[in-house]
Amino acid sequence: MIKSEPFVINIGPQHPSTHGVFRIKATVDGEKVIDAEMVMGYLHRSMEKLAEERTYTQNIPFTDRTDYLSSMSNNLGYCLAVEKLAGIEVPPRGNAIRVIMAELQRLASHCMAVGAFANDTGAWQTPVMWAFREREKILDIFEVTSGARLTCNYMRIGGVAFDLRPEFEPMVRRVLREFPPFIDEMEGLLSENEIFIARTKGVGVLTPEMAINSSLSGPMLRGSGIAWDIRKADPYCGYEQYDFDIPIGYNGDSYDRFIVRLEEMRQSLKIIQQALDGLPGGPFRTEVPLALRPPKGEAYARIESPRGELGYYLVSDEGPSPYRFHIRPPSFINLSALKEMTVGGTVADAIVVLGSIDIVVGEIDR
Amino acid sequence: MTPFLVSDKWYDIRDLGNLSRALLDAADKVLPGGVVYVLAALIGFVASFLLFVLPSQLIIGVYGERRIIGRMQSRLGPNRVGPFGLLQPIADAIKLIQKEALTPTQADRVVMYIAPIIFVMPAVLLWAVIPFGENMVIADIPVSLMYFLAVSALPVIATFMAGWSSNNKYSLFGAMRIVSMAISYESPLVLALLGAVVMSGTISLSGMVAWADEYTIWMVFVQPLALVIYFICVSAELNRTPVDIAEAESEIVAGYLTEYSGMKWGLFYGMDIGYALAASGFAATVFLGGWTFFGLEQWVPGWLIFIAKTHLFYFLFIWTRGTLPRLRADQLMAFAWKFLLPLGVFNLLIVSTERMLWAEQDYAKGLIYVFALVNIALSVGLVYAWARFNGYRPERTPTRPRLVKQAGGYIPVGERP
């Protein structure tokens, strides 16, 4: 009988699938992970504290830098919180533009998630290249509308920053036309691929109880078979008028999270189609004073960001800047179930699980 | 003195061999006894490296692989350096040579230094026994298939040395994985090749080409299962992408070559392609009839046919590399022992029976075509039945999630949403 000794390896931060400062201290016995400890790293941006020194409008650029892969959604969540706090109404055109932008951002973010996940399973760059190809088209739309590609900073309190340009609609129509074949391609390349299924099925299983107890959200929760989507459960920006479905998985493994993301892309396309067809006219923004002083009180607004429930908690003391500013980031909370998912699997599985969570480190230490 | 030209055919590159022989004969008269053999070995090594390994690996291997994979990934691939980016491999090589070859402080310096050298050597040795055309084989030994298998097992030692000496946990993972994998995959590989050997009744690679020429059938039609097993096993041994678990960039950060940089890394990487080309050439010889093409070799140089077949097979390697995800180490091991090995044994049983029948019929020429049809049908049936027996049910995996209209808590799997 060979006696083996467990040893510790650091998966990350230099590891390609741990994007930056995050690392897993994994104790392994051969290839089997017998213990895993997460070290969140120290990005040390202290954004929440900084935000308490700036006015409400000045805080918007912070939010698109927390989650740099879904800046539109993050802007939107913050603006919703301020609007809730100050009681500001958004005109219907502004809401429709917001919905289109948030859904385009979901497409772009899921492209990254799906591509990086495929890369983590070892599909040597091809899926990630295809995903990037599609994502570029969406980033081009963002560039035309807001001037920036990654950190868009497009939402404003009371609406959006600029009206849509004439190039906008044909570009979105092009995405609507060219995206479904891409999703079908990914399905043929990955979700119907036996090696991919063998690698991801039954890996990182989360039971519904575990998912709820860890307060997970987004595709992680829906992969476990829980039909929970804030766009349906607590609609904002007029999501109740669009017809779309919530995709849910079967067993809560990495494979289910993957196919849920692919289906969410299809549903997002459906929403964009409806919103674009019924785009109302009129103003795109309610005029709001730059030095906004909301009445005393607190507000919590949440949206369904690509990674899950993104919440902003604001407390006002009638000053020009928030008394308290807190973000509920989905990546940070989704990571909390990592230990349960990785222990018992192999090192290769740990990477797949990490890829299926779809983390953005900017959100984890904000 | 041998005649300078062996044939009047313009493409017969055996003339180069005659040229070197003439040179060596002349040198033998001047030099003291024995030195000429060292000289011959050196000339052979340098010439084969310059004439074959360098162009095939760097230009065709690296450049072709990058261009084809670039096409699969809907990007361009190298297109800046030289015409169509053809000089890109050379530019890469210059860049790699310029880079510093780092050695970790705690590493075993000697072993780490010689590992890439040991890794390169067999890549040249392997081509010694492969017939490029009629009589165009450097060493036509009667046991060339055994020689090929033996030499192709050498790089495993080099990779294990590299992984162990780097003193990095990821490298150790890679080294362990490659050894376990090489041991697992050698058995079904040899079993599959035994089928071809039993059918053709020879263990010499030129003999196999002659067999394919004589019966005007390629081994792949008689032994389709053997080719499939060979392809899977060889891609596992060569660390090609569907099963490159020893390298595994996304999980163990390039495994055994994590700590290598510069041209040392370049040797490992370039020779990976070299071994894939050698394996393709071997497969083209054994399974695709080598340099023969049902009479076409009368009109086209045989070595051109051979190179075309080699690259046809090599394209399969590129294709799988461009598209497939990677298996896990334990899954791969289970696949070798539970799936491929029994299939190889079955295949050997069938082919031995057929060979007996054939011998009784006194090698009737038409019977081989009956065997081919029977074997193709049997292979498909056998793979299907064995996969079913092992519990493989593809239709049980739903590839689309369930769709729900309303947000409302947990929906158990059995229920209709």
Side-chain angles (χ1 to χ4, degrees):
Chain A
M1 183 74 192
I2 302 166
K3 264 186 78 112
S4 60
E5 226 176 89
F7 65 92
V8 180
I9 59 164
N10 280 307
I11 301 176
Q14 87 285 9
H15 195 284
S17 77
T18 51
H19 330 275
V21 293
F22 175 79
R23 73 183 162 126
I24 312 173
K25 263 167 86 176
T27 312
V28 293
D29 183 9
E31 291 247 348
K32 221 174 171 65
V33 179
I34 52 174
D35 192 17
E37 190 191 323
M38 286 178 288
V39 183
M40 295 290 184
Y42 300 95
L43 214 58
H44 268 325
R45 309 205 291 187
S46 79
M47 186 182 299
E48 291 177 350
K49 195 69 202 163
L50 286 169
E52 287 159 19
E53 302 295 323
R54 280 154 179 76
T55 66
Y56 286 94
T57 315
Q58 282 172 342
N59 282 338
I60 296 174
F62 280 138
T63 60
D64 54 46
R65 279 153 182 82
T66 42
D67 184 349
Y68 34 83
L69 293 183
S70 64
S71 50
M72 288 283 187
S73 304
N74 280 37
N75 285 172
L76 176 58
Y78 174 71
C79 292
L80 282 176
V82 179
E83 283 152 17
K84 207 169 176 181
L85 195 65
I88 299 165
E89 279 288 315
V90 181
R93 185 176 172 84
N95 264 339
I97 296 174
R98 282 178 168 193
V99 166
I100 294 174
M101 286 300 170
E103 293 307 317
L104 283 174
Q105 186 70 72
R106 189 185 314 279
L107 289 178
S109 174
H110 278 350
C111 271
M112 270 298 289
V114 165
F117 178 55
N119 215 15
D120 287 343
T121 58
W124 198 69
Q125 295 173 359
T126 305
V128 79
M129 281 290 171
W130 290 5
F132 265 62
R133 181 189 67 199
E134 299 304 316
R135 184 170 172 262
E136 282 304 301
K137 295 171 191 162
I138 296 167
L139 295 190
D140 285 345
I141 296 174
F142 289 167
E143 193 178 3
V144 162
T145 343
S146 72
R149 293 169 74 82
L150 196 67
T151 51
C152 294
N153 192 12
Y154 179 59
M155 309 288 173
R156 289 288 181 277
I157 299 162
V160 292
F162 321 105
D163 204 356
L164 300 175
R165 296 184 61 81
E167 303 95 305
F168 178 80
E169 192 177 330
M171 288 175 94
V172 178
R173 296 260 179 229
R174 180 174 170 226
V175 167
L176 288 176
R177 201 169 54 244
E178 292 177 2
F179 222 84
F182 160 70
I183 303 174
D184 293 341
E185 265 181 338
M186 286 297 260
E187 223 160 41
L189 188 71
L190 292 172
S191 47
E192 287 165 14
N193 183 318
E194 293 307 325
I195 298 177
F196 186 79
I197 292 172
R199 274 306 298 281
T200 53
K201 200 127 188 95
V203 169
V205 177
L206 268 180
T207 60
E209 295 81 30
M210 269 158 71
I212 291 174
N213 289 349
S214 316
S215 78
L216 305 185
S217 51
M220 299 273 293
L221 185 69
R222 290 194 280 277
S224 295
I226 298 163
W228 180 258
D229 191 323
I230 294 164
R231 292 176 293 175
K232 287 273 191 195
D234 182 11
Y236 54 92
C237 289
Y239 265 111
E240 61 277 359
Q241 45 186 308
Y242 304 115
D243 169 49
F244 64 100
D245 301 322
I246 309 174
I248 56 171
Y250 300 86
N251 313 308
D253 47 19
S254 303
Y255 182 75
D256 283 353
R257 280 165 227 146
F258 176 78
I259 56 175
V260 161
R261 286 204 178 97
L262 280 191
E263 189 61 37
E264 269 183 24
M265 288 198 211
R266 284 207 180 85
Q267 301 300 330
S268 285
L269 289 172
K270 241 166 103 180
I271 298 173
I272 296 170
Q273 179 87 51
Q274 294 169 37
L276 197 64
D277 288 343
L279 193 66
F284 58 92
R285 181 162 67 159
T286 317
E287 280 310 317
V288 172
L290 267 177
L292 183 70
R293 287 169 186 272
K296 217 169 212 163
E298 55 178 20
Y300 177 75
R302 54 183 182 170
I303 63 159
E304 184 71 27
S305 98
R307 268 157 277 280
E309 176 176 341
L310 173 71
Y312 282 87
Y313 174 69
L314 291 172
V315 181
S316 162
D317 59 350
E318 282 187 79
S321 57
Y323 176 76
R324 178 81 176 100
F325 175 92
H326 177 69
I327 312 173
R328 182 228 189 259
S331 296
F332 179 75
I333 291 162
N334 287 353
L335 259 181
S336 61
L338 185 69
K339 188 176 173 181
E340 282 86 348
M341 288 193 279
T342 46
V343 171
T346 62
V347 176
D349 284 343
I351 306 296
V352 168
V353 167
L354 196 64
S356 77
I357 297 176
D358 181 25
I359 55 169
V360 168
V361 180
E363 268 193 337
I364 290 169
D365 189 48
R366 61 220 170 266
Chain B
M1 188 94 182
T2 46
F4 190 68
L5 289 171
V6 264
S7 69
D8 52 355
K9 287 179 179 148
W10 56 271
Y11 55 79
D12 203 336
I13 52 172
R14 275 176 294 162
D15 294 351
L16 284 173
N18 286 314
L19 181 68
S20 69
R21 198 172 301 148
L23 276 174
L24 290 172
D25 277 349
D28 199 20
K29 291 186 181 112
V30 187
L31 294 167
V35 179
V36 73
Y37 293 108
V38 181
L39 196 68
L42 275 176
I43 289 177
F45 196 86
V46 172
S48 62
F49 198 86
L50 287 181
L51 283 176
F52 194 77
V53 179
L54 212 63
S56 74
Q57 252 118 297
L58 281 181
I59 309 295
I60 300 167
V62 177
Y63 174 79
E65 182 150 349
R66 281 166 70 165
R67 284 295 276 210
I68 293 170
I69 286 187
R71 178 58 63 90
M72 285 174 185
Q73 294 173 346
S74 61
R75 59 185 174 83
L76 289 169
N79 65 345
R80 295 285 132 171
V81 194
F84 313 108
L86 266 169
L87 296 179
Q88 183 68 43
I90 294 158
D92 280 348
I94 292 168
K95 184 195 80 178
L96 286 173
I97 290 167
Q98 283 177 336
K99 273 189 167 183
E100 187 187 1
L102 294 168
T103 312
T105 340
Q106 299 289 312
D108 192 330
R109 306 187 80 87
V110 179
V111 179
M112 199 174 163
Y113 186 77
I114 59 174
I117 302 169
I118 296 180
F119 193 72
V120 173
M121 277 199 302
V124 186
L125 293 177
L126 280 177
W127 291 99
V129 293
I130 290 187
F132 289 88
E134 197 179 7
N135 296 327
M136 270 159 75
V137 47
I138 299 164
D140 196 7
I141 50 176
V143 288
S144 44
L145 194 136
M146 302 264 289
Y147 169 89
F148 194 93
L149 289 176
V151 174
S152 66
L154 283 176
V156 176
I157 301 171
T159 46
F160 183 74
M161 280 164 70
W164 179 81
S165 64
S166 297
N167 191 28
N168 177 324
K169 283 163 182 170
Y170 287 124
S171 303
L172 196 62
F173 267 138
M176 288 305 177
R177 281 179 175 191
I178 201 163
V179 168
S180 57
M181 204 160 64
I183 293 168
S184 305
Y185 272 87
E186 202 69 39
S187 333
L189 172 73
V190 172
L191 267 180
L193 286 178
L194 265 183
V197 168
V198 167
M199 189 42 98
S200 63
T202 174
I203 203 164
S204 144
L205 291 179
S206 5
M208 283 189 163
V209 178
W211 182 88
D213 199 24
E214 187 187 344
Y215 293 99
T216 41
I217 192 164
W218 292 349
M219 190 59 85
V220 57
F221 298 123
V222 193
Q223 289 284 300
L225 193 57
L227 179 67
V228 171
I229 298 176
Y230 173 81
F231 180 69
I232 296 171
C233 290
V234 94
S235 45
E237 288 206 357
L238 292 172
N239 274 314
R240 299 296 295 187
T241 282
V243 282
D244 63 338
I245 60 163
E247 200 175 313
E249 278 173 7
S250 61
E251 13 188 290
I252 54 169
V253 204
Y256 63 89
L257 42 84
T258 307
E259 295 292 347
Y260 280 90
S261 60
M263 203 56 210
K264 284 196 207 167
W265 176 88
L267 284 178
F268 275 114
Y269 203 77
M271 286 308 137
D272 257 3
I273 292 164
Y275 285 120
L277 271 173
S280 312
F282 182 75
T285 308
V286 175
F287 290 103
L288 300 183
W291 48 270
T292 64
F293 201 98
F294 308 129
L296 189 72
E297 68 269 15
Q298 307 285 333
W299 312 97
V300 178
W303 50 270
L304 214 57
I305 296 175
F306 171 77
I307 287 174
K309 283 177 181 173
T310 303
H311 284 280
L312 181 78
F313 204 84
Y314 184 64
F315 176 72
L316 285 181
F317 279 124
I318 299 179
W319 193 358
T320 53
R321 177 173 229 170
T323 47
L324 290 178
R326 185 186 306 116
L327 278 159
R328 216 165 52 211
D330 56 327
Q331 287 169 342
L332 200 59
M333 228 63 87
F335 188 68
W337 293 110
K338 291 183 189 162
F339 196 82
L340 291 182
L341 195 72
L343 276 185
V345 174
F346 275 129
N347 183 47
L348 193 59
L349 183 78
I350 293 164
V351 73
S352 308
T353 318
E354 283 174 352
R355 179 77 195 183
M356 290 273 287
L357 285 173
W358 203 20
E360 272 180 20
Q361 298 292 318
D362 208 18
Y363 299 109
K365 220 173 172 184
L367 201 54
I368 191 85
Y369 300 109
V370 181
F371 287 163
L373 288 176
V374 168
N375 279 359
I376 291 169
L378 266 181
S379 311
V380 175
L382 207 60
V383 169
Y384 182 79
W386 189 241
R388 283 270 155 168
F389 181 76
N390 273 306
Y392 172 63
R393 299 276 188 287
E395 66 272 15
R396 282 203 190 154
T397 307
T399 53
R400 289 278 181 96
R402 300 173 285 168
L403 293 177
V404 186
K405 273 270 174 250
Q406 295 300 321
Y410 174 53
I411 298 164
V413 174
E415 278 177 34
R416 293 200 62 78

